[in-house]
Amino acid sequence: MDPDKERDKSKYCRFHEGYGHDTDRCWDLKREIEQLIQSGVLRKFVHEKTGEKRKGDATEKEEQTKKAKEVAGVIHVIDGGDPYSNSQKKKRNRRGSATIFAIEREVTQEVSFGPEDGGHVRGPHNDALVIEAVIRNHQVKRILIDEGSSVNLLTLEAFKEMKGSITDLRKASVPLIGLGGKPIRPEGTVNLYVELGEKTEGPLKKLHAQFNMVDLPLAYNGILGRPLLYQSSAVTSIRLLTLKIPTP
């Protein structure tokens, strides 16, 4: 069965050349752009959020505008150099065109951990980082933080406790691997409202995140994986069993 037939045809990713999500929301593309920035390949296209123009920026933009007006032709493919992995190279070789994205680099706030953060921990330990969160306006306990998971997960039983229904779910075409045994096909996916942070101090972060729903008896009500951790800018310390989210 062609998995593209089960995906949302209204959303097309030019990076993956497939349906299911928009190009500007593609995590793989953002991660690869950041790697290219760090390696220096795209550094000249990046400017910091300083509020001030660096010396020579205006002149450079004027020169670029002038050159753009003098374009004599279009070059569709340039051979040579390979900053991408083999799998990504194969994807790009399917078509003789490319998409250039103008990006603005995110200024990352500093996050640090100290002895005071581990006052609730008795070491040495091998415990998992487990938190509570508000999901779909319900306080959900026993949520595992798992940086090894490429998806956010909820059990179908927990979703039903939130007054959710199987009819709320969209079809999921990709099976999940790593839950023990054979690959498991999710019941579906759904975007849910999430609040992270101590309720008494007000939520630190409010966002919407996509969850895969599974009808399995798990030790946790849900798993927050890399997608939500990236989206919320969360930083974890397993040694101190602490999760921090930078805020203004």
Side-chain angles (χ1 to χ4, degrees), residues 103-170:
I103 58 175
E104 188 175 73
R105 189 170 186 181
E106 180 182 356
V107 178
T108 305
Q109 293 175 270
E110 181 178 349
V111 178
S112 61
F113 294 88
E116 67 280 2
D117 295 314
H120 62 293
V121 179
R122 290 186 179 182
H125 70 82
N126 191 30
D127 297 338
L129 178 52
V130 181
I131 68 167
E132 300 178 10
V134 174
I135 303 178
R136 209 175 192 237
N137 295 322
H138 286 73
Q139 188 75 23
V140 183
K141 300 179 180 295
R142 290 195 60 77
I143 300 175
L144 175 68
I145 300 297
D146 185 3
E147 295 180 349
S149 175
S150 61
V151 298
N152 304 313
L153 206 69
L154 267 182
T155 64
L156 185 60
E157 182 180 357
F159 185 55
K160 289 180 178 179
E161 288 291 324
M162 303 174 194
K163 312 302 180 186
S165 169
I166 196 79
T167 59
D168 298 329
L169 306 179
R170 297 188 300 273

Side-chain angles (χ1 to χ4, degrees), residues 8-153:
D8 189 349
K9 291 296 183 67
S10 66
K11 298 179 181 180
Y12 182 78
C13 176
R14 286 176 287 178
F15 181 73
H16 287 105
E17 297 181 352
Y19 296 95
H21 60 271
D22 296 322
T23 306
D24 58 357
R25 293 184 177 276
C26 178
W27 295 109
D28 291 337
L29 173 60
K30 292 181 180 181
R31 182 167 54 251
E32 192 156 320
I33 288 176
E34 183 61 27
Q35 290 174 350
L36 292 175
I37 292 172
Q38 296 297 335
S39 65
V41 176
L42 294 180
R43 191 160 293 163
K44 64 181 179 180
F45 297 107
V46 177
H47 66 276
E48 303 290 347
K49 291 183 180 179
T50 58
E52 298 181 1
K53 291 183 178 179
R54 295 179 300 189
K55 188 176 181 180
D57 279 359
T59 303
E60 184 178 345
K61 289 181 181 178
E62 291 173 1
E63 291 178 356
Q64 291 175 351
T65 302
K66 183 178 179 181
K67 289 179 181 178
K69 294 179 179 179
E70 298 174 354
V71 170
V74 178
I75 300 173
H76 290 286
V77 178
I78 299 177
D79 292 325
D82 185 17
Y84 309 104
S85 64
N86 289 334
S87 61
Q88 296 299 340
K89 184 178 179 181
K90 291 178 182 177
K91 292 178 182 178
R92 283 162 176 76
N93 285 342
R94 293 175 190 165
R95 296 183 179 181
S97 62
T99 303
I100 298 175
F101 296 89
I103 58 175
E104 188 175 73
R105 189 170 186 181
E106 180 182 356
V107 178
T108 305
Q109 293 175 270
E110 181 178 349
V111 178
S112 61
F113 294 88
E116 67 280 2
D117 295 314
H120 62 293
V121 179
R122 290 186 179 182
H125 70 82
N126 191 30
D127 297 338
L129 178 52
V130 181
I131 68 167
E132 300 178 10
V134 174
I135 303 178
R136 209 175 192 237
N137 295 322
H138 286 73
Q139 188 75 23
V140 183
K141 300 179 180 295
R142 290 195 60 77
I143 300 175
L144 175 68
I145 300 297
D146 185 3
E147 295 180 349
S149 175
S150 61
V151 298
N152 304 313
L153 206 69

